[in-house]
């Protein structure tokens, strides 16, 4: 099983910054690719950034140059530094493996509670 706890969200004005953190435990290993996703009521959950076990990072076009994903394998934590935030970045942000962790016993994809990011003036 997997347990993911996201934190660090909040309210910020356009142009501001936030740093999200994700604490992972259970069946998540240093070799797993980890990722941040986001979801709004009007859009399906989308992949924002991912980082491989070898620290190769990839980003959605909408956040390139503004967001930076990183990880600490010793702590089993993943981070997302978000700069120059825009109102369209407003969403609930989730971390997970990439692809997302599937719990075969419960026959469903696992998601943590996420952390809300609101960008508004």
């Amino acid at each position: 099983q997997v347990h993911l706890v996201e934190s660090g969200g909040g309210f910020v004005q356009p142009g501001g910054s936030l740093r999200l953190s994700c604490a992972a435990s259970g069946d998540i290993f240093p070799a797993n690719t980890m990722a941040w996703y986001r979801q709004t009521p009007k859009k399906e959950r989308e992949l924002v950034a991912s980082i491989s076990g070898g620290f190769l990072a990839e980003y959605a076009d909408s956040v390139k140059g503004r967001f930076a994903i990183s990880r600490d394998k010793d702590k089993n934590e993943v981070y997302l530094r978000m700069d120059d935030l825009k109102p369209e970045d407003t969403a609930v942000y989730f971390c997970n493996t990439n692809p997302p962790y599937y719990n075969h016993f419960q026959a469903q994809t696992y998601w943590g509670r996420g952390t809300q990011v609101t960008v508004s003036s």
Side-chain angles (χ1 to χ4, degrees), residues 24-90:
S25 59
D27 294 336
I28 289 185
F29 305 100
N32 284 123
T33 293
M34 298 298 297
W36 285 95
Y37 304 78
R38 65 186 181 188
Q39 186 173 25
T40 68
K42 296 182 179 180
K43 293 176 65 176
E44 291 188 1
R45 200 171 340 231
E46 64 172 342
L47 177 65
V48 174
S50 66
I51 184 166
S52 71
F55 299 101
L56 177 65
E58 295 182 281
Y59 300 93
D61 288 342
S62 58
V63 306
K64 278 182 182 177
R66 301 189 297 119
F67 289 13
I69 188 171
S70 59
R71 67 190 298 174
D72 185 327
K73 289 184 176 181
D74 292 334
K75 295 182 178 179
N76 221 7
E77 293 183 351
V78 185
Y79 312 100
L80 186 67
R81 171 73 182 187
M82 305 185 295
D83 294 319
D84 190 23
L85 282 161
K86 303 177 180 181
E88 52 263 42
D89 295 319
T90 296

